[in-house]
Amino acid sequence: MNIKNVFTKKERFTRHMSNKILVIVPVYNCAKHITRLLENLPSEFHEYIDTLLVINNKSLDNTEEAAKEVLKTVSGIKCVLLTNKQNYGYGGSLKIGFEFAIRNNFDWVIAINGDDQSPLSDFTPMLKSEEYKNNDVMWGSRFLRGATLKNYSIARIAANYIFNFIFSLAVKEPVHDIGCGVWMYSTR
């Protein structure tokens, strides 16, 4: 699949898919954020999400302990906490999450950063409408109408718009936020 197909509607896949959805939350030194992120899971998430996978990337603070405590309070969703043997970086942690998804027959993966910059509630309308079933990949955006930005300087916002524009030119499709920490992927 070339990168352009990632952004277009699926047409060639006809295999029946169930709705088994995994949420991957890679964390590194996110002790201050992980509790808030997971405490604010939308109440209806258990209707859509099968498993929540938190991957601790060898945090140096008490992220693992904070995650263990807050995961005990999550109801209706299976929760798994993995700790990497070494720091594999953000991409390495995502790879571990995708391998987990494939080994455990998940159909969809939602990946969200553990720094609580993007609330999981942003996925609720898409999950309810099942819009994701018409796509292979869906990216969140901090720059679309109705989105809010926390603690962003004007320079940072301008830089994001410039990079989004350049990336859109490269893939010949509109991309609104290449740096967003929220994605949903099909595992096909």
Side-chain angles (χ1 to χ4, degrees), residues 2-19:
N2 66 39
I3 198 160
K4 184 171 182 181
N5 287 345
V6 169
F7 303 104
T8 58
K9 301 259 185 211
K10 66 178 182 180
E11 295 172 1
R12 62 184 190 278
F13 296 105
T14 56
R15 176 172 74 89
H16 172 72
M17 296 192 60
S18 69
N19 237 5

Side-chain angles (χ1 to χ4, degrees), residues 5 23-25 31 34 43 73 86 99 101 110 121 128 132 149:
N5 287 345
V23 174
I24 301 171
V25 185
I34 192 66
S43 59
T73 68
Q86 63 186 39
E99 288 172 357
I110 294 174
S121 60
K128 283 183 180 180
Y132 62 93
L149 292 172

Side-chain angles (χ1 to χ4, degrees), residues 22 26 28 41 45-46 73 87 96 100 110 120 137 140-142 162 170:
L22 171 70
Y28 178 73
L41 284 174
F45 245 47
H46 68 277
T73 68
N87 185 321
I96 289 166
F100 180 94
I110 294 174
L120 280 165
V137 174
S141 176
R142 298 163 290 181
I162 291 166

Side-chain angles (χ1 to χ4, degrees), residues 65-82:
E65 293 77 18
K68 281 180 186 175
E69 287 305 309
V70 74
L71 288 173
K72 291 177 189 176
T73 68
V74 175
S75 62
I77 301 172
K78 179 181 176 184
C79 296
V80 177
L81 174 62
L82 298 179

Side-chain angles (χ1 to χ4, degrees), residues 56-137:
N56 180 20
N57 196 28
K58 292 294 283 187
S59 294
L60 302 174
D61 64 0
N62 65 337
T63 296
E64 185 162 345
E65 293 77 18
K68 281 180 186 175
E69 287 305 309
V70 74
L71 288 173
K72 291 177 189 176
T73 68
V74 175
S75 62
I77 301 172
K78 179 181 176 184
C79 296
V80 177
L81 174 62
L82 298 179
T83 300
N84 293 341
K85 293 180 181 176
Q86 63 186 39
N87 185 321
Y88 296 118
Y90 180 73
S93 291
L94 281 177
K95 183 177 177 185
I96 289 166
F98 280 100
E99 288 172 357
F100 180 94
I102 292 166
R103 272 195 322 268
N104 292 283
N105 300 311
F106 284 91
D107 299 296
W108 305 94
V109 173
I110 294 174
I112 186 162
N113 293 346
D115 61 6
D116 194 33
Q117 285 193 23
S118 304
L120 280 165
S121 60
D122 290 350
F123 273 101
T124 305
M126 182 186 58
L127 292 169
K128 283 183 180 180
S129 71
E130 298 186 345
E131 179 184 353
Y132 62 93
K133 290 182 177 182
N134 297 319
N135 298 281
D136 293 315
V137 174

